[in-house]
Amino acid sequence: MVSTNGVYYYILVHGYSSSSAFQLGLTCSTPPPPNPTSITATSNTICVGQSTTLTANGASGTVYWFTGGCGVGQIATGNSIIVTPTSTTTYYARNFNGSLFSNNCVFTTITVNPTPSISVTPVTNTICDGSSTQLVTTVSGLPAGSTPTYSWTPSTGLTNPSAPSPFASPRTTQSYQVSVSFNGCSNATSTTINVNPSVGFVSTVSGNNTIIAGTQETYSITHIIVTGK
């Protein structure tokens, strides 16, 4: 029986056949501290590389933290700890006081979502004014079948600023940035498309239209350069 401080307990003795004295033996031991009541996290869902703070409520004495189970795989001590898990992890908190652990732990699970790794490779980095190129985005580090969202800025000259690999037709050299998001985790990268002015050549040829066979004639060719709009 676990007694409570300040409470009177009575022992009833009956059926004793002798009138001589007898003895009663009582053993007192320090009870374990109470269990923590709960764990509060600043965020129960984070992205890879992010941190969250765990706080044990109902702490008594020193709080021990574990990840392998209650009392297994100790990682820290203290009422509050900062953790940066790389994958979804369950954390256990247990009170330690008077050289005794509480009977049980409380626990919470921190869900860790992946951050997409992205790269953009234009089909060509240099185009002429009036031409286009495709901005091909490659995404890795997400679960198979994932459907991240894409956002391109600026949208100038793009066929679809929400497409994974839109076509770009800027009139002047332009840098584009794409942000890729999945389950609240995002990453961004950029690329630059160089635009050269389009050039057309119009030539005029001057000289005799009729010559005598076996003779030579000199012709003059004039180039007219027309720049892009």
Side-chain angles (χ1 to χ4, degrees):
M1 181 183 76
V2 178
S3 60
T4 302
N5 185 34
V7 176
Y8 289 95
Y9 296 89
Y10 300 89
I11 301 174
L12 174 63
V13 179
H14 63 89
Y16 193 74
S17 60
S18 172
S19 60
S20 61
F22 60 89
Q23 293 182 339
L24 293 176
L26 297 177
T27 301
C28 296
S29 61
T30 303
N35 302 321
T37 55
S38 63
I39 296 175
T40 302
T42 53
S43 179
N44 287 93
T45 300
I46 62 175
C47 303
V48 171
Q50 294 180 341
S51 301
T52 186
T53 299
L54 307 179
T55 300
N57 303 308
S60 176
T62 302
V63 178
Y64 278 67
W65 295 87
F66 310 89
T67 55
C70 186
V72 180
Q74 180 188 336
I75 60 168
T77 59
N79 289 18
S80 295
I81 62 172
I82 299 174
V83 295
T84 311
T86 57
S87 60
T88 297
T89 303
T90 299
Y91 293 90
Y92 301 81
R94 192 175 190 181
N95 284 333
F96 183 79
N97 199 2
S99 300
L100 295 173
F101 279 106
S102 58
N103 290 327
N104 295 298
C105 297
V106 290
F107 62 90
T108 190
T109 298
I110 303 302
T111 301
V112 180
N113 289 324
T115 299
S117 297
I118 58 176
S119 63
V120 175
T121 306
V123 173
T124 178
N125 288 91
T126 302
I127 62 174
C128 294
D129 181 19
S131 299
S132 65
T133 185
Q134 188 176 19
L135 310 179
V136 180
T137 304
T138 302
V139 179
S140 60
L142 298 181
S146 300
T147 54
T149 59
Y150 300 81
S151 177
W152 291 85
T153 54
S155 59
T156 305
L158 295 181
T159 53
N160 184 353
S162 298
S165 300
F167 284 86
S169 304
R171 301 303 303 270
T172 58
T173 296
Q174 179 69 60
S175 292
Y176 292 100
Q177 176 175 285
V178 61
S179 176
V180 180
S181 301
F182 179 73
N183 278 352
C185 302
S186 62
N187 204 351
T189 190
S190 61
T191 189
T192 299
I193 303 302
N194 300 303
V195 180
N196 292 326
S198 59
V199 178
F201 293 92
V202 179
S203 301
T204 60
V205 180
S206 59
N208 293 330
N209 292 330
T210 303
I211 62 174
I212 300 173
T215 63
Q216 295 182 344
E217 180 66 32
T218 300
Y219 292 89
S220 177
I221 300 177
T222 303
H223 298 278
I224 301 175
I225 301 177
V226 179
T227 60
K229 298 178 181 180

